[in-house]
Amino acid sequence: MDLINGNEIAQEIIEELKIEVSAIQGGKPCVVFIRVGEDPASVSYVSKKEKTAEKIGIESRLQLYPNSISQDELLEEISLANNNNEVHGILVQAPLPDHIDERTIFNHVSPSKDVDGFNAFNLGKLCQEQEDAFISCTPAGIIELIKRKNITTEGKHVVVLGRSLIVGKPAGMLFLRKGFPGNATVTFCHSRTPDLENHTRRADIIIAAIGKPQFVTKEMVKEGATIIDVGINRIEDSNKKSGFRLVGDVDFEQVAPQTKFITPVPGGVGPMTVAMLMKNTVQAFKGNHS
Ligand code: GUN
């Protein structure tokens, strides 16, 4: 079993970006973070993104709004950032309150500033295999881990658990692309898939992105499979000062010994999401300045 150290690989990317940003003459990449409400996970994710941007030399502007903001008001705030030449990237942290339609919001971000890769234009470009698509940061992070660990994907069977717009769907599309990492056969499974084990047991690579703590057990995984665990779930733990600990969608203790590669939680995919956001922001800056 080879543990994929996401912290270490994310740090490599951050160091590469620091060098790239320090060589920029005239201007500086700038990203706007839009957060609505006080969801504790969103507060923590956005704060991590701000700190990482600062380390690299990327300017970040945090815009906070109350849960009561209307959809039209939020669209107007995005228009202002779209039209501001000093801003190269825009990120609207999900989830948004129920009265706001996330797709409408994501599609309003200018495609050239869509560093999250959530809008229909960039998702379409991903399907068309266009090189300059902004790719959603978590799936982009997964692919970067696969690339840097040189894990073979060609001819392999990838099973994606989860069909979200943010992770499941784009992750599957990336493994399907021509080239490396790609050329895989991809199966999407979700909450309505009967006999899930039947699929996962035939997988060479499992992408677990269903948001259910320790859902993937050893009976579901074949010997020598690679497991990418995207889940970040809080479970109660009275031994911890905070009263909880973080676990993935995979029962790590049980499953790890029979895998070829596995990502831990925390310290696997999570830090890669942040690193890839920074990479997308630098790409957005360069796109505007080339
Ligand atoms: N919520 C959970 N993951 C993400 C992400 O990668 N980007 C944004 N904007 N919101 C999220």
Side-chain angles (χ1 to χ4, degrees):
M1 187 265 286
D2 186 347
L3 197 66
I4 302 179
N5 188 335
N7 280 325
E8 211 172 273
I9 298 174
Q11 195 54 42
E12 266 173 39
I13 296 168
I14 289 166
E15 295 303 326
E16 290 162 12
L17 290 172
K18 266 188 201 166
I19 295 170
E20 201 173 337
V21 170
S22 67
I24 294 172
Q25 287 171 348
K28 180 180 187 183
C30 171
V31 58
V32 165
F33 297 133
I34 294 179
R35 201 189 82 213
V36 178
E38 297 294 327
D39 170 59
S42 292
V43 171
S44 147
Y45 294 151
V46 172
S47 153
K48 180 82 192 142
K49 290 170 188 177
E50 278 185 283
K51 286 185 187 135
T52 310
E54 196 185 342
K55 272 190 214 156
I56 295 173
I58 293 172
E59 182 186 340
S60 70
R61 299 180 185 177
L62 178 60
Q63 297 183 195
L64 302 176
Y65 302 97
N67 270 320
S68 57
I69 191 171
S70 72
Q71 178 162 306
D72 283 346
E73 285 166 333
L74 190 55
L75 289 171
E76 183 50 33
E77 293 298 331
I78 294 169
S79 294
L80 288 172
N82 280 341
N83 295 328
N84 184 344
N85 291 335
E86 289 173 5
V87 173
H88 309 104
I90 301 169
L91 176 143
V92 184
Q93 187 67 29
L96 291 169
D98 289 346
H99 65 276
I100 297 178
D101 179 52
E102 285 187 351
R103 273 185 303 193
T104 304
I105 296 298
F106 296 150
N107 286 340
H108 196 65
V109 174
S110 162
S112 65
K113 298 189 181 188
D114 177 31
V115 287
D116 247 338
F118 291 169
N119 80 28
F121 191 76
N122 279 305
L123 283 163
K125 275 189 162 185
L126 166 61
C127 291
Q128 286 189 343
E129 305 196 17
Q130 291 197 43
E131 288 285 319
D132 64 346
F134 282 114
I135 293 167
S136 179
C137 305
T138 300
I142 293 170
I143 286 296
E144 199 64 28
L145 288 177
I146 298 277
K147 221 192 250 178
R148 293 191 186 222
K149 295 296 282 186
N150 209 15
I151 296 169
T152 306
T153 55
E154 178 149 341
K156 300 295 180 189
H157 182 204
V158 176
V159 172
V160 181
L161 300 179
R163 53 178 160 178
S164 73
L165 196 68
I166 295 181
V167 184
K169 284 198 194 101
M173 291 311 302
L174 288 168
F175 282 101
L176 208 54
R177 287 194 304 190
K178 297 185 188 80
F180 172 74
N183 287 339
T185 302
V186 179
T187 301
F188 288 94
C189 297
H190 47 81
S191 54
R192 304 294 173 95
T193 304
D195 202 4
L196 205 75
E197 283 179 36
N198 207 9
H199 300 284
T200 56
R201 264 196 250 111
R202 288 186 291 114
D204 301 301
I205 300 173
I206 297 177
I207 312 297
I210 29 165
K212 291 187 183 159
Q214 299 168 316
F215 179 82
V216 177
T217 55
K218 73 172 195 284
E219 295 72 28
M220 297 168 73
V221 177
K222 83 171 175 193
E223 191 76 32
T226 287
I227 310 279
I228 307 291
D229 190 351
V230 184
I232 303 177
N233 310 288
R234 283 181 177 201
I235 60 165
E236 273 183 36
D237 186 342
S238 54
N239 293 324
K240 299 270 173 189
K241 224 161 103 187
S242 58
F244 70 84
R245 70 187 162 103
L246 293 180
V247 297
D249 288 353
V250 176
D251 188 335
F252 184 88
E253 298 298 321
Q254 241 197 47
V255 172
Q258 75 197 50
T259 61
K260 182 143 191 252
F261 293 97
I262 187 165
T263 60
V265 175
V269 175
M272 292 300 291
T273 298
V274 181
M276 298 315 282
L277 171 68
M278 301 300 140
K279 217 169 154 65
N280 281 353
T281 302
V282 174
Q283 186 192 324
F285 173 86
K286 284 167 45 187
N288 279 359
H289 291 80
S290 56

